[in-house]
Amino acid sequence: MSTASYYVPPQSRWPILASIALFLLAFGAGNLINALSAGSSTTLGGLLLGLGALLMIGILFGWFSNVVHESMSGMYSEQMDRSFRWGMSWFIFSEVMFFAAFFGTLFYVRNLAVPWLGGEGEKGVSNMLWEGFQAQWPLMTTPDMERFPGPQQIISPWHLPLLNTILLVSSSFTVTIAHKALKTGHRSRIVIWLAATVLLGASFLVFQAYEYVEAYHDLGLTLHAGIYGATFFILTGFHGLHVTLGTLMLIIIWLRVMKGHFSAEHHFGFEAVAWYWHFVDVVWVGLFLFVYIL
Amino acid sequence: METTLGQNLGDTHHEHGPAGGIGRWLFTTNHKDIGTLYLWFSLLMFLTGGTMALLIRAELFQPGLQLVQPDFFNQMTTMHGLIMVFGAVMPAFVGLANWMVPMMVGAPDMALPRMNNWSFWILPFAFAMMISTLFMDGGAPNFGWTFYAPLSTTYAPPSVTFFIFAVHMMGISSIMGAINVIATILNLRAPGMTMMKLPLFVWSWLITAFLLIAVMPVLAGVVTMMLMDIHFGTSFFNAAGGGDPVLFQHVFWFFGHPEVYIMILPAFGIVSEIIPTFARKRLFGYASMVYAISSIAFLSFIVWAHHMFTVGLPLAGELFFMFATMLIAVPTGVKVFNWVATMFRGSMTFETPMLFALAFVVLFTIGGFSGLMLAIAPADFQYHDTYFVVAHFHYVLVPGAIFSIMAATYYWLPKWTGHMLDEKLGKVHFWLSFIGVNITFFPMHFIGLAGMPRRIPDYALQFADFNSVASIGAFIFGLSQLLFVYNVIACIRGGERATDRVWEGAHGLEWTLPSPAPYHSFSQPPVVK
Amino acid sequence: AWQVNLSPGSTAIARDVYDLHMIIFWICVAIGVVVFGVMLWSIIHHRKSRGAEAHHFHENTAVEILWTLIPFGILIAMAVPATATLIKMYDSADAELDIQITGYQWKWRYQYLGHDIDYFSVLSTPREQINNQEAKGEHYLLEVDNPLVLPAGKKVRFLLTANDVIHSWWVPSLAVKKDAIPGFINEAWVIPEEPGIYRGQCTELCGRDHGFMPVVVEVKPQAEFDQWLADAKTAAAEQEAAAEQEWTLEQLMERGEQVYSTACAVCHQANGQGIPGAFPGLAGSPIATGDVGAHIDIVLHGKAGTAMQAFGGQLSAVDLAAVITYERNAWGNDTGDSVSPQQITELNQ
Ligand code: HEA
Ligand code: HEA
Ligand code: CUA
Ligand SMILES: [Cu+2]
C-alpha cells in the first residue's frame, strides 16, 4: 500500500460558496420564521432563504460534478475510496444519533413525564396541578386541553403505515438487487431495479403526505395536539425528509447509471446511496414499532 | 462550467507552495492553511469572549449595579460561555488537529481536504450571526449557555431563532471536522504506524472526534425541538401538553457532558506529548493512557444527569448518576499518575511549553477534585448553581483546556514558523497567567461555598471581598494574554532559526520534517518501524 | 467578609451534608498532597540542570493496577455516607405541615395547604440601594416583605413548582435546594431546629431579576407560630371584607400607585413608558386607554407567550381594581374610569 498517489485536490471555490449559501439559508430561515411568528409581513427572510437554497443546490451540483469527474478520470486511489467510505459511515452514524435524540424524547415522555403528570410514580404529586388528568398513551387528553387539544383519533398502524413499511422494506431489497447487478455488470437490470426503488420511495412519500393530510383534517392530530402529536410529527417528519433526500440521491445515481457511470469495481457513489437508503429503512422500522404500533 | 470552476484554480501537482493573496485562505484545501485559519479564529473568539468576561468581572467588582443592567449582564454571561466553548476552545483544538494529525501520522494532508475548508468557513458565518443578535430588538440570548427551557423558549427574546440556526451551523461544522479527523487517522497512516503506535495526541483526537459525531447531532435535535416549541406550537418542554421542561435538560446534557470532555481529551493528548519531551523519558503507561481515554469517553455518555441533581430526579436515578460520575475519577487518575510517573526519574528542563503543561497537571487536577465533590449528590445540593461550580469548570477549562492550547502553541510554533519563540517573554507570560488564573478562580470556590449563586449581576455584601479579588485577578490574567498574542506574532515574523527537531527530547514524525514544515507534509509516506 | 467554607448548617441533615463535604474535601487534599508531592520531588531532584539522567522504565503493570484499584476503593468509601445521606433527604414522609412553594418571575408564593394562607414574598431592598444612590443595608438583596414562617421542631414538607420558568429554592443553612419546575411538583422537607431568620436565594437562572429573588425563612417557636397563623388568617379575612367596600377614585389611585410600583413597574417602568423592544409602555397605550374589559382581562389572565403574567391569582381584588384604575388615569391616560373590587371579583373566577 502506498500513499504516494493520494489525491489532494487543488484549491476550490465550492466550500466558501457553500458557507455563504448555508449562511443565507440560516439567516433567511431565521428572519422568515420570526416574521411569521410575529405576524408581520416581510419578504426579506423568504428571499434570502430562497437565494440560499438555489445557491446551495447549484453548489452541491457543481461540487459533486467535480468529484465525479475526478473519480471518473481515475485520480482516486483505493485509499481515497476508503476515506470516502469512512466519511459516509460516520456521517450515517451522526444521523443515527440525531434520530436517537427524538426516540429518547419519545421514551422519556411515555415512560416518565406523562405518568408523573397523571399521578403515577415518584413524581406523581405533580398531578395536583392537573386535576383530573390521567396518564395514557397515546395521549388523547392532554393536561391542558385548552392550549393543547389532544388528537381525536390516531392513525391505525395496520393501514397506511403497514403499507408504507412493506414499501420501504421491499425498496431495501430492490436496491440490493440493483447493487448485485452492478457488481455482475448487468447494466439494464441496474436501471430497472433502481427505478423500482425510486418508485417505492416516491410512493412511500405520497402515502406519507396523504397520512399527514388525514391527520390534520380528520383526526385532529397536529403539531399542537400535545406531546403525542409533537413526537409523532418530529419523528415521522424528519424521517420523511430523509426519505425525500434519499429518493433524490437514488434518482441521481439512476441517471448516472444511465450515463454509463460506475463500474463493477468502482461504484462508491452508488454504495453510499444504498447505505443511506438502508439506514432510512431501519429508522422506519423503529418508527413503525415505537410510534405506530406500541 | 461547473466542473472547471473548482479545478482550474490551482494546478494538480503536489510540489507547490501556497497560492498568493486572499484566495489562498478562502479557497485553500491545505491542512496547514486551514489549521492556521482555525487557530486565528479561535484567538479572536478568545479575546472576544474574554472581553465579555472582563465586563462581567468589572460589574461584579463591587455590590450594586455599576456598569450594566441585569438583562445585558445575562446576555454577557450567555455569550461569554457560548463563545468560549464553541468559538475558542473547540476551534483551537480542531486547528491543532489540522496542523498536527497529518504530520504525526505521516500523511500528505487531511483525508477530505475540500470538506475541511468548508468545516472552517462555516464558523465565521455562524458566529457573525450569533454575535449580531446583540444588536437585535430584545437583545441577544440571555438564558445562559445551557439555555434551559422554558426560559429559552416561551420567555426568550426573538433573537433565539438566530441562536438556534447558529448552533445548527456550528454543529455541521464540528461533525464534518470530526469526520475528517477520523478518516485521516484511520486511513492515512504511514506504513507501519499501527494503532498502538499512534502518538497520544492523535489517539485523544480520534476519541474526541467520535464523541463529537455522537453528540453534536443530539444538540441539533434539542435546538430543533426548541424551535418547534417556540414557533410551531409543539409542547416538548411544556407540561400543559404532556411534555416536560426537564426533558430539555436531559437531552441537552446528553450532549453537554461529553462536550466538556471534548474540551479536555485533546488537552490530555497535548500534555502527553509535551511531558515526555521535556522529561526526556518515554511516556509512562502508553497503553493504559489509551484505555483511560476510551473509558472516560464511554463513561461520559452515562453521567449527564450530574448536572441535574436538584431537578428532582427519582432516587434511583440520582444514585446511578452519582456513582457513574465518581467512577470517572479512576481513569482520569490513571492519566495524572502516568504523567507524574513520566516525570519521575526523568531529566527535566522547563521551557515555556513544559511550564504550561506542568501547570495544567496541577490545576486541572484541582479542577477534577472539585468535580468529584460536585459528583456527590447530597453535597451538590449545596454547591449547585453557585460560584463553586463556576470555580470548578474554570479550573478545568482555563488552566486546563486553555493552558494546554497555549502549551501546544509554544511547543509546535517553531515547527510551524521555522523560528524559535522569545523564551523569556514566554516565561513572563506563563508566570503572569499562572498567578492571574489562580487569583481569579481560586476565590470563586470560597464565594460559592459562602452561598453566592451564579449568573447574578449583583450580590449580598458578604460576598464582596473575594469578588473584588477575583475581578483583579481576571484583569491580570486577561491583560497578560496580550503578551501571548505579541509573542506569537513576533515568532511568525522572525527570530532564531529553529532546527528540525526543535526540542532536544522530541520524538515523533512531525520532528523529522524540516522547520518550517513544507506545505504538503508527507508526499512520500515515511516508514515507521 | 472573608468566609471560605460552607456554613455548618442548622438542621441534622444540613450537618450531615457539611460533614460529607468536609470528608471529601480532606480526601481530595490528601490525594493532592501525595500526587503534587511526588511531582514536586521530581521537579526538584530530577532536573537536567542538576545532572539528572533519564531512566528508561515506561510501564509497570503491577503499579498501574494498584493505582487503578486504590482510587476505586477511596471512591467506595465516599459513596457509602453519600448514599445514606441522600436516602434520608429523599424521605419526605410523615410531614406535619405542607407548604406549596411556587416560583414566579421574580417572587415566591407560599401557600399553607389546609390553612387558607397564601401570600407572595418579594425583595424589599429599595431600588436606591441597588443603584448605589443610598448606602446598602446589612441584608442587602437578602430581605423580603413577607418571609416564609415555619414552626421550629416540626417536619415541614415543601411542594415546589413554578408558574413561568424554572426557579430553584435554596436556603444554605437548611441544606434545601430544589428546582421549582412549571407543571411539575418536586418535594423537599426540613425540620428547622433553632428559631431565627435564614436567608437564601433563587439559584436557577430565571430571567432578568434572577439575582433579585431572595428566600427568607423565619422559624418561630410553636406558640408564636400558632399566633402568627391565627393573625394571618384574620388578615386574610379583612382583605376579603375590603373587597366589599366602596372605593373612591382617589383611594384607588393612591393604592394603585403602590401596587403598580411593586408589581408592574419593573417591566412597564414607573413612568409607564415600558422598555422598547422588550416591554410595552402603558402611557397612551390602546389597552390602558381603550376598552376596560380588555384591560381587566389582560391583567387578570396575562398574555400567553410573553412575560405578562396572570395577576388574577396573585393580587387581591382591591389591589387589582386599584392598579387597573391607576393605569387608566396615570401618565396622562386620564380616562376617568374607576374599576371596583366587586367588578374584579365577578370577573376573576
Ligand atoms: C473540560 C471540562 C470539564 C472537565 C474535564 C470536567 C470534569 C469533571 N466534572 Fe465538570 N463541569 C464542566 C466542565 C468539566 N468538568 C462544566 C463546564 C460544568 C458546568 C456546566 C454549567 O452548568 O454551565 C461542569 C459541572 C460539573 C458538575 C455539575 C455541577 C452542578 O452544576 O451542580 C459536576 C457534578 O458532578 C461535575 C463533575 C465533574 C467530574 C466528576 C469530573 C471528572 O472528570 C474529574 C476527574 C478528575 C479528577 C478526580 C482529578 C484527578 C484524579 C486523581 C488524582 C485520582 C484520584 C482521585 C480521587 C479518587 C478523588 N462537573
Ligand atoms: C473555555 C471556556 C471558558 C473560558 C476560557 C473562560 C474564561 C473566563 N471566564 Fe468564564 N465561563 C465559561 C467558560 C469559560 N470562561 C462558561 C461555560 C460559563 C458559564 C456561562 C453561563 O453561566 O451560561 C462561564 C461563566 C463565567 C462567569 C460567571 C458568570 C455568571 O455566572 O454570571 C465568570 C465570572 O467571573 C467568568 C469569568 C471568566 C474569566 C475572568 C475568564 C478569563 O479566563 C478570560 C481571560 C481572557 C481575556 C480577558 C481575554 C483578553 C482580552 C483582552 C486583553 C482585551 C483585548 C481585546 C482585543 C485586542 C479586542 N466566566
Ligand atoms: Cu428565580 Cu432565579
Ligand atoms: Cu458533566
Side-chain angles (χ1 to χ4, degrees), chain C residues 106 167 202-206 210 213:
Chain C
W106 292 280
H167 303 264
C202 174
T203 49
E204 181 62 62
L205 177 60
C206 52
H210 161 59
M213 67 182 280

Side-chain angles (χ1 to χ4, degrees), chain B residues 313 345 348 383-384 458 465, chain C residues 1 21 46 48 90 140 177:
Chain B
L313 299 176
R345 297 205 174 280
M348 277 196 268
Y383 313 139
H384 177 65
D458 191 7
D465 297 316
Chain C
H21 159 72
H46 306 147
K48 197 181 173 204
Y90 261 72
Y140 177 67
K177 180 186 285 155

Side-chain angles (χ1 to χ4, degrees), chain B residues 253 256-257 260 303-304 306-307:
Chain B
W253 285 115
H257 186 82
V260 309
V303 299
W304 74 87
H306 65 219
H307 296 273

